[in-house]
């Protein structure tokens, strides 16, 4: 297996910078993520061989399976390695191989990932994996649950033309494809045995899965654990309505959201506010608290798609020369941010401002129009200010400067849009209140933004 070369032309780079790029950009960025994951897997295998013991045996077997799967069906390996949880899981494994010897090195998740790829490629294979907390997790596929199995008990995972099975003792569980209708209840039977499927958010089987199983899918926040069936259905219904919102007013974003996301992870919000986020190492995923409205869900998906694109782009190009300890005011955060965090916020909120401008085209009720105007004006104005901070910082690379200047051009176009005076005044009040609150909290640490 060799990592492909990647080329992102200047015209496509500029389209990404103004918040566009579409499916073409996402395909290039996802291909680059595959190369990154493959390099990470190679490093895990190399370090495991140096470490020796079971870690090396599992890593060698994993590489053997991945190579065989790639020879048979390269797309199966790409699909498996680019699942959002694979990157963080392998980084964790690498940490156990390189870190202090506080415990045994762990390459089990690499082996679990490899056997999933082999199964997708239609190969016959068998591996032994340990039961962890009553489950055997197969990343991007789901989990087999064995309520009576001891922690660490060996499980046999077999793949073949008839599918994938997981066996512990005399119990055998057949895996179901993500999005499939489960023949076993979500809540375990009395003996605790069954397949926990990754449910699709869309009833048609397309679109992202709702990953409430894999803790590596979005390790930045506390997950909810397995959702009750009624809560999962509520997510699915809200997602269906959110897609309608995007289809009506934001068709390009609907396509891009569909291209970007493979998984949405339900997370807990510590203060019961709406919460969404993305991580540099989980391209194709966002973590979200339970969506309350279709419009909010649609906005969060569009917003987090921007973060995903920029995270993948910064794996290809250095845009910022961050200096430790340098922190900046961000009009959408309560905490000071490093410059790369400010760059992410500017890019995402350029998308937010454009979202609300498009939403004005379909908002019919006075309250809905007023809200859209206020949100548009607020995020347009503070995002342009923050982009000025980026450009004035002296910390952007040449490509970073090009990126920020393209954003400035897009924000200038938005600034030319006339906003009704009451909405403009309300947006300005909200911006002033945020800055005042932030300054009272962080004045001593504040790196001045451009006035």
């Amino acid at each position: 297996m060799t990592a492909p070369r990647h080329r992102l032309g200047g015209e496509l780079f500029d389209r990404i910078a103004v918040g566009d790029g579409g499916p073409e950009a996402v395909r290039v960025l996802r291909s680059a993520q595959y190369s990154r994951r493959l390099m990470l897997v190679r490093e895990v295998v190399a370090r495991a061989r140096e470490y020796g013991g079971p870690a090396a045996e599992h890593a060698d077997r994993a590489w053997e399976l991945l190579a065989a799967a790639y020879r048979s069906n390269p797309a199966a390996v790409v699909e498996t390695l680019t699942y959002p949880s694979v990157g963080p899981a392998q980084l964790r494994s690498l940490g156990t191989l390189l870190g202090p010897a506080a415990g045994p090195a762990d390459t089990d998740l690499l082996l679990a990932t490899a056997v999933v790829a082999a199964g997708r490629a239609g190969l016959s294979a068998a591996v032994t994996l340990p039961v962890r907390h009553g489950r055997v997790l197969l990343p991007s596929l789901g989990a087999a649950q064995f309520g009576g199995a001891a922690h660490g008990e060996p499980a046999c995972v077999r793949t073949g033309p008839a599918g994938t099975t997981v066996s512990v003792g005399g119990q055998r569980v057949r895996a179901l494809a993500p999005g499939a209708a489960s023949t076993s209840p979500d809540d375990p039977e009395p003996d605790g045995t069954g397949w926990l499927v990754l449910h699709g958010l869309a009833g048609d089987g397309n679109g992202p899965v709702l990953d409430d199983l894999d803790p590596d899918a979005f390790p930045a926040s506390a997950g909810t654990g397995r959702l009750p069936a009624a809560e999962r259905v509520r997510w699915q219904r809200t997602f269906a309505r959110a897609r309608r919102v995007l289809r009506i007013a934001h068709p390009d974003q609907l396509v891009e959201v569909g291209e970007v996301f493979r998984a949405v992870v339900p997370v807990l919000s510590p203060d019961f506010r709406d919460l969404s986020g993305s991580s540099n190492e989980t391209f194709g995923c966002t973590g979200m608290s339970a969506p309350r409205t279709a419009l909010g869900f649609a906005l969060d998906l569009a917003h987090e798609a921007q973060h995903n694109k920029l995270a993948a782009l910064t794996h290809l190009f250095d845009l910022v020369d961050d200096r430790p300890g340098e922190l900046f005011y961000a009009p959408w955060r309560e905490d000071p941010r490093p410059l790369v965090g400010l760059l992410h916020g500017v890019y995402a909120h350029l998308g937010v401002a454009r979202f609300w401008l498009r939403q004005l085209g379909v908002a019919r009720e006075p309250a809905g129009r007023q809200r859209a105007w206020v949100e548009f004006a607020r995020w347009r104005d503070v995002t342009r200010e923050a982009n000025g901070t980026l450009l004035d910082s002296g910390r952007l690379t040449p490509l970073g400067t090009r990126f920020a200047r393209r954003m400035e051009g897009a924000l200038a176009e938005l600034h030319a849009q006339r906003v009704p005076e009451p909405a403009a005044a309300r947006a300005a009040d909200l911006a002033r209140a945020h800055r005042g609150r932030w300054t009272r909290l962080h004045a001593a640490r504040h790196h001045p933004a451009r006035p």
Side-chain angles (χ1 to χ4, degrees), residues 131 134-136 143-149 165-175 182-197:
V131 176
R135 293 179 180 177
V136 178
Q145 183 155 282
F146 300 94
T165 62
V166 185
S167 302
V168 174
Q171 304 175 95
R172 188 175 73 159
V173 175
R174 183 170 297 279
S182 177
T183 57
S184 300
D186 287 337
D187 295 324
E189 298 177 19
D191 66 355
T193 305
W195 179 254
L196 301 178
V197 72

Side-chain angles (χ1 to χ4, degrees), residues 87-242:
Q90 300 318 306
L91 285 170
R92 245 182 344 100
S93 294
L94 196 59
T96 68
L97 293 163
L98 298 177
D106 182 4
T107 53
D108 293 338
L109 281 174
L110 176 56
L111 185 56
T113 301
V115 79
V116 170
R120 283 202 172 102
L123 302 182
S124 295
V127 303
T128 300
L129 295 169
V131 176
R132 299 282 175 85
H133 307 292
R135 293 179 180 177
V136 178
L137 176 69
L138 299 179
S140 78
L141 192 60
Q145 183 155 282
F146 300 94
H151 187 72
E153 186 171 345
C156 180
V157 183
R158 293 184 180 277
T159 66
T164 298
T165 62
V166 185
S167 302
V168 174
Q171 304 175 95
R172 188 175 73 159
V173 175
R174 183 170 297 279
L176 297 173
S182 177
T183 57
S184 300
D186 287 337
D187 295 324
E189 298 177 19
D191 66 355
T193 305
W195 179 254
L196 301 178
V197 72
L198 286 174
H199 293 281
L201 266 175
D204 57 9
N206 297 316
V209 296
L210 188 64
D211 196 335
D212 51 3
L213 293 173
D214 193 337
D216 287 310
F218 193 72
S221 295
T224 60
R226 192 65 164 167
L227 291 175
E231 181 65 11
R232 184 187 73 246
V233 169
R234 190 166 78 84
W235 273 84
Q236 291 169 326
R237 289 174 177 169
T238 309
F239 179 70
R241 293 195 293 269

Side-chain angles (χ1 to χ4, degrees), residues 352-411:
V352 169
R354 295 174 72 191
F355 180 96
W356 285 111
L357 183 61
R358 290 188 299 268
Q359 195 61 27
L360 279 163
V362 297
R364 298 289 176 259
E365 298 296 325
R369 289 189 63 78
Q370 172 68 5
R371 182 190 177 192
W373 276 121
V374 170
E375 297 283 358
F376 166 70
R378 181 182 180 186
W379 300 122
R380 173 197 66 176
D381 294 348
V382 299
T383 302
R384 195 178 190 192
E385 175 186 324
N387 195 54
T389 302
L390 290 173
L391 287 165
D392 290 346
S393 69
R395 298 286 182 261
L396 299 179
T397 66
L399 273 177
T401 299
R402 174 172 174 165
F403 194 88
R405 284 176 176 163
R406 296 299 183 274
M407 290 196 294
E408 174 62 26
L411 288 161

Side-chain angles (χ1 to χ4, degrees), residues 56 64 144 167 169 218 248 267 278 283 406:
E64 174 188 306
S167 302
F218 193 72
I248 291 169
V267 300
S278 297
F283 180 79
R406 296 299 183 274

